[in-house]
Amino acid sequence: MTSSPSTPALALTIAGSEATGGAGAQADLKTFQELGVFGIVNLTCIVSFDPANDWGHRFVPVEPQVIADQLEATTAAYGAASGAPQVLDTVKIGMLGSPATIATVREALKDADFKNVVLDPVLICKGQEPGHALDTDTALTEQILPLATFVTPNHFEAESLSGMAIGNVEDLKAAARKIHELSGAAVLAKGGVRLEGADAVDVFFDGETLEVLSAPKVGEVAVSGAGCSLAAAVTAELAKGATALEAARTAKSFVTEGIRNRVASGAPFTALWQGGAGAPPAR
């Protein structure tokens, strides 16, 4: 797919709203905009941190029928049968949050025939009951992971999906290979600040090419929105026609600059600023 400023590529994010603006659908839309893609969001839940309870998550799901309605409207406007000049064929899946939401999204994905399905496999959400969280994780792995064409697990998610402990880059490589074997998708497994060393290291593997992507760490603490923005940047680049590896490289650079220009607040975390990264030059 090619695009121009007057007919930009399209990308959909199916994700939750995060009230402080640092992560979730807000981060996705800002990333899409910075990278020259027309962004669409279908909300799955509303998350607000609770400053009175150690900044844990307050989680409110969107009703499954409302989610289905959003997806119906989006695909009717921009899907393959819509007649739109630019067809929506790329979607990012972020936080789903419940088995009912996962089932609804799965049916929509099966019917919409997306070319690129980028899964940011958000697993446990603080504030959920442990049993519910486990049911959600199981449903995500069984129902959504097989539909993905690109997966972007963080350190914890890579350990959960691969069943492996990840303590170094070699472990991360092995986990990326394992997740590809399970899903058939291209994988960008994120070590980030979780692995020791001066560099934030991620590993790309698509079944043929294995590449280690590294950049000097910007601090030793994770930044809110980094994972969401990385997956959204991959999504935007795929929507514009990049290969999976090209998308991974651009996303890594984009997020590194966004972390470097992070935004502080009264919360005990900082947030990535997509505007600090800026869109890379056109290929």
Side-chain angles (χ1 to χ4, degrees):
M1 177 188 296
T2 59
S3 59
S4 69
S6 60
T7 57
L10 311 175
L12 166 65
T13 177
I14 303 173
S17 168
E18 194 279 276
T20 69
Q26 288 89 332
D28 294 343
L29 288 179
K30 286 182 280 188
T31 298
F32 291 166
Q33 188 77 10
E34 287 294 328
L35 291 172
V37 171
F38 182 84
I40 306 162
V41 60
N42 289 180
L43 287 179
T44 59
C45 58
I46 298 172
V47 175
S48 55
F49 294 108
D50 185 355
N53 187 26
D54 194 29
W55 293 84
H57 292 79
R58 292 178 290 202
F59 172 82
V60 179
V62 173
E63 288 292 327
Q65 186 58 54
V66 176
I67 296 170
D69 291 347
Q70 294 176 81
L71 291 165
E72 178 187 41
T74 298
T75 53
Y78 297 108
S82 66
Q86 288 290 101
V87 173
L88 174 65
D89 64 2
T90 302
V91 59
K92 180 213 163 187
I93 302 171
M95 186 172 185
L96 299 181
S98 74
T101 296
I102 288 167
T104 301
V105 171
R106 173 181 169 80
E107 288 306 308
L109 291 178
K110 286 167 56 181
D111 294 340
D113 193 28
F114 286 101
K115 175 183 176 182
N116 303 303
V117 178
V118 179
L119 173 60
D120 185 13
V122 182
L123 295 179
I124 303 241
C125 172
K126 287 194 303 179
Q128 289 183 301
E129 293 296 325
H132 179 80
L134 180 59
D135 289 345
T136 300
D137 292 356
T138 300
L140 184 73
T141 302
E142 292 180 352
Q143 297 183 44
I144 304 297
L145 184 62
L147 302 178
T149 62
F150 200 119
V151 187
T152 63
N154 64 21
H155 182 267
F156 167 73
E157 293 155 355
E159 288 191 326
S160 298
L161 292 173
S162 67
M164 302 169 55
I166 300 173
N168 54 49
V169 176
E170 293 305 312
D171 293 340
L172 194 62
K173 291 179 183 178
R177 291 182 181 275
K178 180 64 175 178
I179 296 167
H180 170 76
E181 180 184 324
L182 292 171
S183 65
V187 179
L188 184 57
K190 298 171 285 186
V193 297
R194 305 297 183 188
L195 301 182
E196 292 186 1
D199 290 342
V201 177
D202 306 327
V203 172
F204 173 87
F205 183 66
D206 64 356
E208 296 181 0
T209 301
L210 188 146
E211 183 166 317
V212 176
L213 306 177
S214 64
K217 287 180 179 176
V218 183
E220 294 287 341
V221 179
V223 172
S224 177
C228 300
S229 300
L230 186 79
V234 167
T235 305
E237 292 303 300
L238 292 175
K240 293 189 292 186
T243 67
L245 180 55
E246 289 170 342
R249 289 170 176 166
T250 298
K252 176 71 172 179
S253 176
F254 181 88
V255 166
T256 298
E257 289 306 309
I259 292 172
R260 198 182 314 279
N261 293 280
R262 59 195 181 275
V263 176
S265 70
F269 49 81
T270 56
L272 179 146
W273 182 40
Q274 294 80 7
R283 287 186 299 275

